[in-house]
Amino acid sequence: MGYKVAVVGATGNVGREMFEILAERNFPVSEVVALASSRSVGREVSFGDKILKCKNLEDFDFAGTDFVLMSAGGDISKAWAPKIGAAGAIVIDNSSAWRYHEDVPLVVPEVNPQALDAYFKKNDRKNIIANPNCSTAQLVVALKPLHDLAKITRIVVSTYQSVSGGGKDAMDELWNQTKGIFVNDTPTPNKFPKQIAFNVIPHIDVFMEDGYTKEEWKVLAETKKMLDPKIKVTCTAVRVPVFVGHAEAVNIEFENPITPDEARDALREAPGIAVVDKREPGGYITPVEAKGDDNTFVSRIREDVTVENGLAMWVVSDNLRKGAALNTIQIAEAIIERGLVSPKAGA
């Protein structure tokens, strides 16, 4: 017996990716429903060899629905996730709305699946599970096996984040500005505060009082919540003129000694990671190669000679997949594999 799955935000970049991944991974579905705002009702999205027409979130009856995968923004999630959870469906939310609530687990299945077991034992749970920020998801996948091996004490991260993290409008802006420059049109920033074509912008999300941006704070808070609250984290988040795929330069300080070879071996054995680390031109992964792949890629593993027990590495992943849609679906798969829910249709 399969599970009834609804996708909220069906017409967005991540929503469309969710349908593709559900089909690719043969997720055990009995029915898949596309949900969107009233202005998108009737629009078509693809699910495998099927075409689904979007239904209106406002008047959809969630009774009998097993999983609701949400990627419609924080405001929609704040308004709807509690109602959907109260109706008995498990909400897996891709926005930042619920990530920092003490009573909502923040989960990357390769890192902290045990958080699901503890959550489903609670009788008063909200039935909401949070998906981390795209840049944090790939980071903690790469950090987890190293933390288990030598105990991380401090992390310095610089991100190189693609425009797809800002949605379709952001991707269109990069495309239009790039084309325009070649015909001598003046690039006009709209989605971004400055020109993004042929440029990099050290600013993602809003600025906070301490000078960090909200995107940088997310990396700090989410890494601590999922991996270890004692780890010190600092981050500089940068938007780069790449359509899909986030990259990160990561410097790590450990409590115990660890060599690059030991780190390489631990990463190769860990789930969800591919190590591509040849010390030669092209012996590393860039966002172009990571696009469409489920793995988090780790390259450039080397000693950080500025600290005792330090390593540096380069981490790349498709942000629409592992950073968003894939991780959301992997959470649902982990819930099923751990026997935490049964299909309502089979009840």
Side-chain angles (χ1 to χ4, degrees), residues 4-9 18 33 35 57 60-71 80-81 83-85 87-94 127-129 328 332 344:
K4 183 176 179 180
V5 179
V7 175
V8 178
M18 285 176 178
V33 181
L35 297 176
L57 169 64
F60 185 75
D61 182 1
F62 286 94
T65 304
D66 296 293
F67 292 103
V68 177
L69 313 180
M70 297 194 75
S71 189
W80 282 93
K83 300 175 188 177
I84 297 168
I90 304 299
V91 178
I92 306 175
D93 181 45
N94 195 53
N127 283 338
I128 302 170
I129 299 162
T328 304
K344 289 189 175 63

PDB file of all heavy atoms in Angstrom, residues 4-9 18 33 35 57 60-71 80-81 83-85 87-94 127-129 328 332 344:
ATOM      1  N   LYS A   4      -0.173   8.626   0.316  1.00  0.00           N
ATOM      2  CA  LYS A   4      -0.701   9.787  -0.393  1.00  0.00           C
ATOM      3  C   LYS A   4       0.186  10.983  -0.060  1.00  0.00           C
ATOM      4  O   LYS A   4       0.358  11.333   1.112  1.00  0.00           O
ATOM      5  CB  LYS A   4      -2.149  10.065   0.013  1.00  0.00           C
ATOM      6  CG  LYS A   4      -2.767  11.238  -0.759  1.00  0.00           C
ATOM      7  CD  LYS A   4      -4.237  11.429  -0.398  1.00  0.00           C
ATOM      8  CE  LYS A   4      -4.840  12.605  -1.154  1.00  0.00           C
ATOM      9  NZ  LYS A   4      -6.273  12.796  -0.815  1.00  0.00           N
ATOM     10  N   VAL A   5       0.747  11.607  -1.098  1.00  0.00           N
ATOM     11  CA  VAL A   5       1.713  12.689  -0.928  1.00  0.00           C
ATOM     12  C   VAL A   5       1.188  13.940  -1.621  1.00  0.00           C
ATOM     13  O   VAL A   5       0.754  13.887  -2.781  1.00  0.00           O
ATOM     14  CB  VAL A   5       3.076  12.310  -1.528  1.00  0.00           C
ATOM     15  CG1 VAL A   5       4.072  13.459  -1.379  1.00  0.00           C
ATOM     16  CG2 VAL A   5       3.626  11.047  -0.862  1.00  0.00           C
ATOM     17  N   ALA A   6       1.231  15.058  -0.918  1.00  0.00           N
ATOM     18  CA  ALA A   6       0.880  16.348  -1.512  1.00  0.00           C
ATOM     19  C   ALA A   6       2.114  17.241  -1.515  1.00  0.00           C
ATOM     20  O   ALA A   6       2.878  17.250  -0.551  1.00  0.00           O
ATOM     21  CB  ALA A   6      -0.251  17.016  -0.736  1.00  0.00           C
ATOM     22  N   VAL A   7       2.301  17.986  -2.600  1.00  0.00           N
ATOM     23  CA  VAL A   7       3.408  18.937  -2.704  1.00  0.00           C
ATOM     24  C   VAL A   7       2.820  20.341  -2.739  1.00  0.00           C
ATOM     25  O   VAL A   7       2.039  20.675  -3.636  1.00  0.00           O
ATOM     26  CB  VAL A   7       4.252  18.676  -3.967  1.00  0.00           C
ATOM     27  CG1 VAL A   7       5.328  19.753  -4.124  1.00  0.00           C
ATOM     28  CG2 VAL A   7       4.891  17.291  -3.906  1.00  0.00           C
ATOM     29  N   VAL A   8       3.175  21.155  -1.753  1.00  0.00           N
ATOM     30  CA  VAL A   8       2.717  22.540  -1.685  1.00  0.00           C
ATOM     31  C   VAL A   8       3.825  23.437  -2.231  1.00  0.00           C
ATOM     32  O   VAL A   8       4.972  23.357  -1.795  1.00  0.00           O
ATOM     33  CB  VAL A   8       2.381  22.945  -0.232  1.00  0.00           C
ATOM     34  CG1 VAL A   8       1.954  24.413  -0.176  1.00  0.00           C
ATOM     35  CG2 VAL A   8       1.290  22.045   0.336  1.00  0.00           C
ATOM     36  N   GLY A   9       3.451  24.297  -3.190  1.00  0.00           N
ATOM     37  CA  GLY A   9       4.466  25.061  -3.920  1.00  0.00           C
ATOM     38  C   GLY A   9       4.884  24.301  -5.155  1.00  0.00           C
ATOM     39  O   GLY A   9       6.046  24.306  -5.559  1.00  0.00           O
ATOM     40  N   MET A  18      10.857  18.229  -6.629  1.00  0.00           N
ATOM     41  CA  MET A  18      10.297  17.193  -5.763  1.00  0.00           C
ATOM     42  C   MET A  18       9.556  16.123  -6.567  1.00  0.00           C
ATOM     43  O   MET A  18       9.712  14.917  -6.317  1.00  0.00           O
ATOM     44  CB  MET A  18       9.347  17.819  -4.737  1.00  0.00           C
ATOM     45  CG  MET A  18      10.033  18.549  -3.606  1.00  0.00           C
ATOM     46  SD  MET A  18       8.826  19.346  -2.504  1.00  0.00           S
ATOM     47  CE  MET A  18       9.921  20.041  -1.266  1.00  0.00           C
ATOM     48  N   VAL A  33      -0.470  14.691  -5.214  1.00  0.00           N
ATOM     49  CA  VAL A  33      -1.309  15.860  -5.456  1.00  0.00           C
ATOM     50  C   VAL A  33      -0.424  17.101  -5.542  1.00  0.00           C
ATOM     51  O   VAL A  33       0.470  17.291  -4.717  1.00  0.00           O
ATOM     52  CB  VAL A  33      -2.340  16.047  -4.319  1.00  0.00           C
ATOM     53  CG1 VAL A  33      -3.233  17.256  -4.595  1.00  0.00           C
ATOM     54  CG2 VAL A  33      -3.170  14.788  -4.138  1.00  0.00           C
ATOM     55  N   LEU A  35      -0.287  21.073  -5.189  1.00  0.00           N
ATOM     56  CA  LEU A  35      -1.039  22.159  -4.568  1.00  0.00           C
ATOM     57  C   LEU A  35      -0.291  23.473  -4.757  1.00  0.00           C
ATOM     58  O   LEU A  35       0.939  23.528  -4.685  1.00  0.00           O
ATOM     59  CB  LEU A  35      -1.227  21.900  -3.073  1.00  0.00           C
ATOM     60  CG  LEU A  35      -2.050  20.660  -2.694  1.00  0.00           C
ATOM     61  CD1 LEU A  35      -2.060  20.480  -1.184  1.00  0.00           C
ATOM     62  CD2 LEU A  35      -3.467  20.770  -3.227  1.00  0.00           C
ATOM     63  N   LEU A  57      -4.567  25.185  -2.654  1.00  0.00           N
ATOM     64  CA  LEU A  57      -4.220  24.895  -1.267  1.00  0.00           C
ATOM     65  C   LEU A  57      -5.332  25.324  -0.317  1.00  0.00           C
ATOM     66  O   LEU A  57      -5.622  24.641   0.673  1.00  0.00           O
ATOM     67  CB  LEU A  57      -2.913  25.616  -0.912  1.00  0.00           C
ATOM     68  CG  LEU A  57      -2.510  25.642   0.559  1.00  0.00           C
ATOM     69  CD1 LEU A  57      -2.225  24.239   1.074  1.00  0.00           C
ATOM     70  CD2 LEU A  57      -1.295  26.540   0.761  1.00  0.00           C
ATOM     71  N   PHE A  60      -8.215  22.611  -0.094  1.00  0.00           N
ATOM     72  CA  PHE A  60      -7.893  21.189  -0.179  1.00  0.00           C
ATOM     73  C   PHE A  60      -8.149  20.504   1.160  1.00  0.00           C
ATOM     74  O   PHE A  60      -7.835  21.047   2.224  1.00  0.00           O
ATOM     75  CB  PHE A  60      -6.430  20.992  -0.590  1.00  0.00           C
ATOM     76  CG  PHE A  60      -6.058  19.546  -0.808  1.00  0.00           C
ATOM     77  CD1 PHE A  60      -6.472  18.876  -1.938  1.00  0.00           C
ATOM     78  CD2 PHE A  60      -5.300  18.868   0.143  1.00  0.00           C
ATOM     79  CE1 PHE A  60      -6.135  17.540  -2.134  1.00  0.00           C
ATOM     80  CE2 PHE A  60      -4.953  17.535  -0.050  1.00  0.00           C
ATOM     81  CZ  PHE A  60      -5.373  16.872  -1.192  1.00  0.00           C
ATOM     82  N   ASP A  61      -8.739  19.305   1.113  1.00  0.00           N
ATOM     83  CA  ASP A  61      -9.005  18.514   2.306  1.00  0.00           C
ATOM     84  C   ASP A  61      -7.835  17.551   2.524  1.00  0.00           C
ATOM     85  O   ASP A  61      -7.609  16.649   1.720  1.00  0.00           O
ATOM     86  CB  ASP A  61     -10.309  17.734   2.133  1.00  0.00           C
ATOM     87  CG  ASP A  61     -10.682  16.919   3.367  1.00  0.00           C
ATOM     88  OD1 ASP A  61      -9.933  16.979   4.368  1.00  0.00           O
ATOM     89  OD2 ASP A  61     -11.702  16.207   3.328  1.00  0.00           O
ATOM     90  N   PHE A  62      -7.088  17.741   3.621  1.00  0.00           N
ATOM     91  CA  PHE A  62      -5.900  16.941   3.869  1.00  0.00           C
ATOM     92  C   PHE A  62      -6.194  15.615   4.582  1.00  0.00           C
ATOM     93  O   PHE A  62      -5.271  14.858   4.874  1.00  0.00           O
ATOM     94  CB  PHE A  62      -4.884  17.746   4.686  1.00  0.00           C
ATOM     95  CG  PHE A  62      -4.191  18.803   3.877  1.00  0.00           C
ATOM     96  CD1 PHE A  62      -4.675  20.107   3.858  1.00  0.00           C
ATOM     97  CD2 PHE A  62      -3.076  18.495   3.124  1.00  0.00           C
ATOM     98  CE1 PHE A  62      -4.042  21.094   3.104  1.00  0.00           C
ATOM     99  CE2 PHE A  62      -2.442  19.461   2.372  1.00  0.00           C
ATOM    100  CZ  PHE A  62      -2.924  20.768   2.359  1.00  0.00           C
ATOM    101  N   ALA A  63      -7.456  15.344   4.863  1.00  0.00           N
ATOM    102  CA  ALA A  63      -7.812  14.064   5.475  1.00  0.00           C
ATOM    103  C   ALA A  63      -7.371  12.923   4.556  1.00  0.00           C
ATOM    104  O   ALA A  63      -7.622  12.937   3.357  1.00  0.00           O
ATOM    105  CB  ALA A  63      -9.315  13.994   5.713  1.00  0.00           C
ATOM    106  N   GLY A  64      -6.676  11.957   5.116  1.00  0.00           N
ATOM    107  CA  GLY A  64      -6.204  10.827   4.323  1.00  0.00           C
ATOM    108  C   GLY A  64      -4.857  11.042   3.664  1.00  0.00           C
ATOM    109  O   GLY A  64      -4.313  10.134   3.039  1.00  0.00           O
ATOM    110  N   THR A  65      -4.289  12.247   3.809  1.00  0.00           N
ATOM    111  CA  THR A  65      -2.974  12.522   3.232  1.00  0.00           C
ATOM    112  C   THR A  65      -1.903  12.099   4.242  1.00  0.00           C
ATOM    113  O   THR A  65      -1.995  12.402   5.436  1.00  0.00           O
ATOM    114  CB  THR A  65      -2.814  14.020   2.908  1.00  0.00           C
ATOM    115  OG1 THR A  65      -3.875  14.419   2.035  1.00  0.00           O
ATOM    116  CG2 THR A  65      -1.475  14.295   2.242  1.00  0.00           C
ATOM    117  N   ASP A  66      -0.874  11.409   3.761  1.00  0.00           N
ATOM    118  CA  ASP A  66       0.186  10.914   4.643  1.00  0.00           C
ATOM    119  C   ASP A  66       1.319  11.916   4.800  1.00  0.00           C
ATOM    120  O   ASP A  66       1.741  12.213   5.927  1.00  0.00           O
ATOM    121  CB  ASP A  66       0.732   9.590   4.096  1.00  0.00           C
ATOM    122  CG  ASP A  66      -0.304   8.499   4.082  1.00  0.00           C
ATOM    123  OD1 ASP A  66      -0.716   8.069   5.172  1.00  0.00           O
ATOM    124  OD2 ASP A  66      -0.714   8.082   2.983  1.00  0.00           O
ATOM    125  N   PHE A  67       1.846  12.418   3.678  1.00  0.00           N
ATOM    126  CA  PHE A  67       2.966  13.358   3.708  1.00  0.00           C
ATOM    127  C   PHE A  67       2.617  14.614   2.920  1.00  0.00           C
ATOM    128  O   PHE A  67       2.057  14.536   1.821  1.00  0.00           O
ATOM    129  CB  PHE A  67       4.229  12.750   3.089  1.00  0.00           C
ATOM    130  CG  PHE A  67       4.836  11.628   3.883  1.00  0.00           C
ATOM    131  CD1 PHE A  67       4.661  10.309   3.504  1.00  0.00           C
ATOM    132  CD2 PHE A  67       5.594  11.895   5.018  1.00  0.00           C
ATOM    133  CE1 PHE A  67       5.229   9.275   4.221  1.00  0.00           C
ATOM    134  CE2 PHE A  67       6.168  10.867   5.753  1.00  0.00           C
ATOM    135  CZ  PHE A  67       5.985   9.544   5.353  1.00  0.00           C
ATOM    136  N   VAL A  68       2.988  15.764   3.482  1.00  0.00           N
ATOM    137  CA  VAL A  68       2.852  17.032   2.763  1.00  0.00           C
ATOM    138  C   VAL A  68       4.241  17.656   2.687  1.00  0.00           C
ATOM    139  O   VAL A  68       4.846  17.988   3.713  1.00  0.00           O
ATOM    140  CB  VAL A  68       1.866  17.984   3.456  1.00  0.00           C
ATOM    141  CG1 VAL A  68       1.813  19.320   2.721  1.00  0.00           C
ATOM    142  CG2 VAL A  68       0.476  17.348   3.497  1.00  0.00           C
ATOM    143  N   LEU A  69       4.766  17.775   1.482  1.00  0.00           N
ATOM    144  CA  LEU A  69       6.081  18.349   1.250  1.00  0.00           C
ATOM    145  C   LEU A  69       5.873  19.810   0.879  1.00  0.00           C
ATOM    146  O   LEU A  69       5.262  20.123  -0.139  1.00  0.00           O
ATOM    147  CB  LEU A  69       6.799  17.604   0.124  1.00  0.00           C
ATOM    148  CG  LEU A  69       6.767  16.062   0.206  1.00  0.00           C
ATOM    149  CD1 LEU A  69       7.519  15.452  -0.973  1.00  0.00           C
ATOM    150  CD2 LEU A  69       7.331  15.565   1.536  1.00  0.00           C
ATOM    151  N   MET A  70       6.384  20.709   1.731  1.00  0.00           N
ATOM    152  CA  MET A  70       6.093  22.132   1.556  1.00  0.00           C
ATOM    153  C   MET A  70       7.326  22.899   1.082  1.00  0.00           C
ATOM    154  O   MET A  70       8.397  22.792   1.685  1.00  0.00           O
ATOM    155  CB  MET A  70       5.594  22.756   2.857  1.00  0.00           C
ATOM    156  CG  MET A  70       4.299  22.182   3.356  1.00  0.00           C
ATOM    157  SD  MET A  70       3.535  23.215   4.651  1.00  0.00           S
ATOM    158  CE  MET A  70       2.885  24.562   3.671  1.00  0.00           C
ATOM    159  N   SER A  71       7.148  23.679   0.022  1.00  0.00           N
ATOM    160  CA  SER A  71       8.197  24.587  -0.426  1.00  0.00           C
ATOM    161  C   SER A  71       7.541  25.822  -1.032  1.00  0.00           C
ATOM    162  O   SER A  71       7.689  26.118  -2.220  1.00  0.00           O
ATOM    163  CB  SER A  71       9.118  23.907  -1.438  1.00  0.00           C
ATOM    164  OG  SER A  71      10.239  24.724  -1.698  1.00  0.00           O
ATOM    165  N   TRP A  80      -0.061  27.402   7.378  1.00  0.00           N
ATOM    166  CA  TRP A  80      -0.687  26.142   7.004  1.00  0.00           C
ATOM    167  C   TRP A  80      -0.118  24.896   7.681  1.00  0.00           C
ATOM    168  O   TRP A  80      -0.853  23.933   7.906  1.00  0.00           O
ATOM    169  CB  TRP A  80      -0.631  25.964   5.481  1.00  0.00           C
ATOM    170  CG  TRP A  80      -1.668  26.790   4.797  1.00  0.00           C
ATOM    171  CD1 TRP A  80      -1.536  28.059   4.298  1.00  0.00           C
ATOM    172  CD2 TRP A  80      -3.019  26.411   4.574  1.00  0.00           C
ATOM    173  NE1 TRP A  80      -2.722  28.492   3.779  1.00  0.00           N
ATOM    174  CE2 TRP A  80      -3.656  27.499   3.931  1.00  0.00           C
ATOM    175  CE3 TRP A  80      -3.766  25.269   4.845  1.00  0.00           C
ATOM    176  CZ2 TRP A  80      -4.996  27.471   3.557  1.00  0.00           C
ATOM    177  CZ3 TRP A  80      -5.098  25.234   4.477  1.00  0.00           C
ATOM    178  CH2 TRP A  80      -5.700  26.325   3.843  1.00  0.00           C
ATOM    179  N   ALA A  81       1.167  24.878   7.986  1.00  0.00           N
ATOM    180  CA  ALA A  81       1.758  23.653   8.537  1.00  0.00           C
ATOM    181  C   ALA A  81       1.063  23.170   9.810  1.00  0.00           C
ATOM    182  O   ALA A  81       0.768  21.966   9.934  1.00  0.00           O
ATOM    183  CB  ALA A  81       3.256  23.857   8.767  1.00  0.00           C
ATOM    184  N   LYS A  83      -2.057  23.577  10.731  1.00  0.00           N
ATOM    185  CA  LYS A  83      -3.379  23.050  10.366  1.00  0.00           C
ATOM    186  C   LYS A  83      -3.253  21.676   9.713  1.00  0.00           C
ATOM    187  O   LYS A  83      -4.026  20.756  10.008  1.00  0.00           O
ATOM    188  CB  LYS A  83      -4.076  24.002   9.389  1.00  0.00           C
ATOM    189  CG  LYS A  83      -4.325  25.406   9.912  1.00  0.00           C
ATOM    190  CD  LYS A  83      -4.915  26.273   8.809  1.00  0.00           C
ATOM    191  CE  LYS A  83      -5.012  27.732   9.205  1.00  0.00           C
ATOM    192  NZ  LYS A  83      -5.512  28.578   8.101  1.00  0.00           N
ATOM    193  N   ILE A  84      -2.293  21.546   8.817  1.00  0.00           N
ATOM    194  CA  ILE A  84      -2.111  20.275   8.109  1.00  0.00           C
ATOM    195  C   ILE A  84      -1.648  19.198   9.075  1.00  0.00           C
ATOM    196  O   ILE A  84      -2.126  18.057   9.051  1.00  0.00           O
ATOM    197  CB  ILE A  84      -1.098  20.448   6.955  1.00  0.00           C
ATOM    198  CG1 ILE A  84      -1.627  21.448   5.925  1.00  0.00           C
ATOM    199  CG2 ILE A  84      -0.811  19.108   6.282  1.00  0.00           C
ATOM    200  CD1 ILE A  84      -0.602  21.898   4.903  1.00  0.00           C
ATOM    201  N   GLY A  85      -0.710  19.561   9.973  1.00  0.00           N
ATOM    202  CA  GLY A  85      -0.241  18.609  10.970  1.00  0.00           C
ATOM    203  C   GLY A  85      -1.356  18.161  11.896  1.00  0.00           C
ATOM    204  O   GLY A  85      -1.441  16.985  12.265  1.00  0.00           O
ATOM    205  N   ALA A  87      -4.366  17.849  11.104  1.00  0.00           N
ATOM    206  CA  ALA A  87      -5.242  16.950  10.346  1.00  0.00           C
ATOM    207  C   ALA A  87      -4.655  15.541  10.230  1.00  0.00           C
ATOM    208  O   ALA A  87      -5.301  14.646   9.686  1.00  0.00           O
ATOM    209  CB  ALA A  87      -5.491  17.526   8.950  1.00  0.00           C
ATOM    210  N   GLY A  88      -3.423  15.370  10.723  1.00  0.00           N
ATOM    211  CA  GLY A  88      -2.828  14.035  10.766  1.00  0.00           C
ATOM    212  C   GLY A  88      -1.753  13.761   9.745  1.00  0.00           C
ATOM    213  O   GLY A  88      -1.125  12.697   9.778  1.00  0.00           O
ATOM    214  N   ALA A  89      -1.523  14.690   8.830  1.00  0.00           N
ATOM    215  CA  ALA A  89      -0.469  14.490   7.841  1.00  0.00           C
ATOM    216  C   ALA A  89       0.887  14.897   8.424  1.00  0.00           C
ATOM    217  O   ALA A  89       0.957  15.761   9.301  1.00  0.00           O
ATOM    218  CB  ALA A  89      -0.765  15.300   6.583  1.00  0.00           C
ATOM    219  N   ILE A  90       1.951  14.286   7.939  1.00  0.00           N
ATOM    220  CA  ILE A  90       3.303  14.670   8.332  1.00  0.00           C
ATOM    221  C   ILE A  90       3.784  15.747   7.366  1.00  0.00           C
ATOM    222  O   ILE A  90       3.908  15.518   6.163  1.00  0.00           O
ATOM    223  CB  ILE A  90       4.271  13.468   8.291  1.00  0.00           C
ATOM    224  CG1 ILE A  90       3.753  12.321   9.160  1.00  0.00           C
ATOM    225  CG2 ILE A  90       5.671  13.898   8.713  1.00  0.00           C
ATOM    226  CD1 ILE A  90       3.593  12.663  10.618  1.00  0.00           C
ATOM    227  N   VAL A  91       4.051  16.937   7.896  1.00  0.00           N
ATOM    228  CA  VAL A  91       4.532  18.055   7.089  1.00  0.00           C
ATOM    229  C   VAL A  91       6.055  18.070   7.128  1.00  0.00           C
ATOM    230  O   VAL A  91       6.654  18.097   8.205  1.00  0.00           O
ATOM    231  CB  VAL A  91       3.991  19.400   7.624  1.00  0.00           C
ATOM    232  CG1 VAL A  91       4.550  20.558   6.797  1.00  0.00           C
ATOM    233  CG2 VAL A  91       2.472  19.412   7.623  1.00  0.00           C
ATOM    234  N   ILE A  92       6.676  18.053   5.961  1.00  0.00           N
ATOM    235  CA  ILE A  92       8.134  18.228   5.866  1.00  0.00           C
ATOM    236  C   ILE A  92       8.343  19.541   5.136  1.00  0.00           C
ATOM    237  O   ILE A  92       8.034  19.669   3.948  1.00  0.00           O
ATOM    238  CB  ILE A  92       8.800  17.045   5.143  1.00  0.00           C
ATOM    239  CG1 ILE A  92       8.397  15.728   5.815  1.00  0.00           C
ATOM    240  CG2 ILE A  92      10.316  17.212   5.159  1.00  0.00           C
ATOM    241  CD1 ILE A  92       8.909  14.485   5.108  1.00  0.00           C
ATOM    242  N   ASP A  93       8.847  20.515   5.873  1.00  0.00           N
ATOM    243  CA  ASP A  93       8.842  21.896   5.396  1.00  0.00           C
ATOM    244  C   ASP A  93      10.231  22.355   4.981  1.00  0.00           C
ATOM    245  O   ASP A  93      11.203  22.174   5.710  1.00  0.00           O
ATOM    246  CB  ASP A  93       8.302  22.814   6.503  1.00  0.00           C
ATOM    247  CG  ASP A  93       8.260  24.265   6.052  1.00  0.00           C
ATOM    248  OD1 ASP A  93       7.805  24.517   4.923  1.00  0.00           O
ATOM    249  OD2 ASP A  93       8.696  25.130   6.828  1.00  0.00           O
ATOM    250  N   ASN A  94      10.290  22.975   3.807  1.00  0.00           N
ATOM    251  CA  ASN A  94      11.566  23.417   3.249  1.00  0.00           C
ATOM    252  C   ASN A  94      11.883  24.876   3.583  1.00  0.00           C
ATOM    253  O   ASN A  94      12.965  25.361   3.255  1.00  0.00           O
ATOM    254  CB  ASN A  94      11.556  23.218   1.726  1.00  0.00           C
ATOM    255  CG  ASN A  94      12.933  23.311   1.127  1.00  0.00           C
ATOM    256  OD1 ASN A  94      13.858  22.638   1.560  1.00  0.00           O
ATOM    257  ND2 ASN A  94      13.090  24.170   0.136  1.00  0.00           N
ATOM    258  N   ASN A 127       3.547  17.304  14.211  1.00  0.00           N
ATOM    259  CA  ASN A 127       3.633  16.629  12.903  1.00  0.00           C
ATOM    260  C   ASN A 127       4.321  17.507  11.860  1.00  0.00           C
ATOM    261  O   ASN A 127       4.006  17.447  10.677  1.00  0.00           O
ATOM    262  CB  ASN A 127       2.248  16.193  12.398  1.00  0.00           C
ATOM    263  CG  ASN A 127       1.756  14.940  13.100  1.00  0.00           C
ATOM    264  OD1 ASN A 127       2.539  14.172  13.646  1.00  0.00           O
ATOM    265  ND2 ASN A 127       0.446  14.741  13.102  1.00  0.00           N
ATOM    266  N   ILE A 128       5.273  18.339  12.323  1.00  0.00           N
ATOM    267  CA  ILE A 128       6.066  19.182  11.419  1.00  0.00           C
ATOM    268  C   ILE A 128       7.536  18.811  11.581  1.00  0.00           C
ATOM    269  O   ILE A 128       8.033  18.722  12.708  1.00  0.00           O
ATOM    270  CB  ILE A 128       5.882  20.681  11.731  1.00  0.00           C
ATOM    271  CG1 ILE A 128       4.404  21.085  11.630  1.00  0.00           C
ATOM    272  CG2 ILE A 128       6.738  21.535  10.796  1.00  0.00           C
ATOM    273  CD1 ILE A 128       4.127  22.487  12.161  1.00  0.00           C
ATOM    274  N   ILE A 129       8.208  18.591  10.467  1.00  0.00           N
ATOM    275  CA  ILE A 129       9.645  18.320  10.455  1.00  0.00           C
ATOM    276  C   ILE A 129      10.281  19.338   9.515  1.00  0.00           C
ATOM    277  O   ILE A 129       9.772  19.596   8.421  1.00  0.00           O
ATOM    278  CB  ILE A 129       9.944  16.886   9.991  1.00  0.00           C
ATOM    279  CG1 ILE A 129       9.296  15.884  10.959  1.00  0.00           C
ATOM    280  CG2 ILE A 129      11.450  16.648   9.895  1.00  0.00           C
ATOM    281  CD1 ILE A 129       9.156  14.504  10.402  1.00  0.00           C
ATOM    282  N   THR A 328      14.223  16.641   1.562  1.00  0.00           N
ATOM    283  CA  THR A 328      12.830  16.560   2.016  1.00  0.00           C
ATOM    284  C   THR A 328      12.277  15.156   1.811  1.00  0.00           C
ATOM    285  O   THR A 328      11.649  14.575   2.704  1.00  0.00           O
ATOM    286  CB  THR A 328      11.975  17.583   1.250  1.00  0.00           C
ATOM    287  OG1 THR A 328      12.525  18.890   1.425  1.00  0.00           O
ATOM    288  CG2 THR A 328      10.538  17.591   1.742  1.00  0.00           C
ATOM    289  N   ALA A 332      11.177  11.771   4.412  1.00  0.00           N
ATOM    290  CA  ALA A 332       9.987  10.912   4.326  1.00  0.00           C
ATOM    291  C   ALA A 332      10.384   9.446   4.200  1.00  0.00           C
ATOM    292  O   ALA A 332       9.777   8.568   4.841  1.00  0.00           O
ATOM    293  CB  ALA A 332       9.124  11.340   3.138  1.00  0.00           C
ATOM    294  N   LYS A 344      -2.273   5.769   5.497  1.00  0.00           N
ATOM    295  CA  LYS A 344      -3.630   5.898   6.005  1.00  0.00           C
ATOM    296  C   LYS A 344      -4.609   5.072   5.186  1.00  0.00           C
ATOM    297  O   LYS A 344      -5.604   4.579   5.709  1.00  0.00           O
ATOM    298  CB  LYS A 344      -4.056   7.381   5.987  1.00  0.00           C
ATOM    299  CG  LYS A 344      -3.336   8.216   7.043  1.00  0.00           C
ATOM    300  CD  LYS A 344      -3.942   9.602   7.118  1.00  0.00           C
ATOM    301  CE  LYS A 344      -3.319  10.408   8.264  1.00  0.00           C
ATOM    302  NZ  LYS A 344      -1.887  10.642   8.070  1.00  0.00           N
TER     303      LYS A 344
END
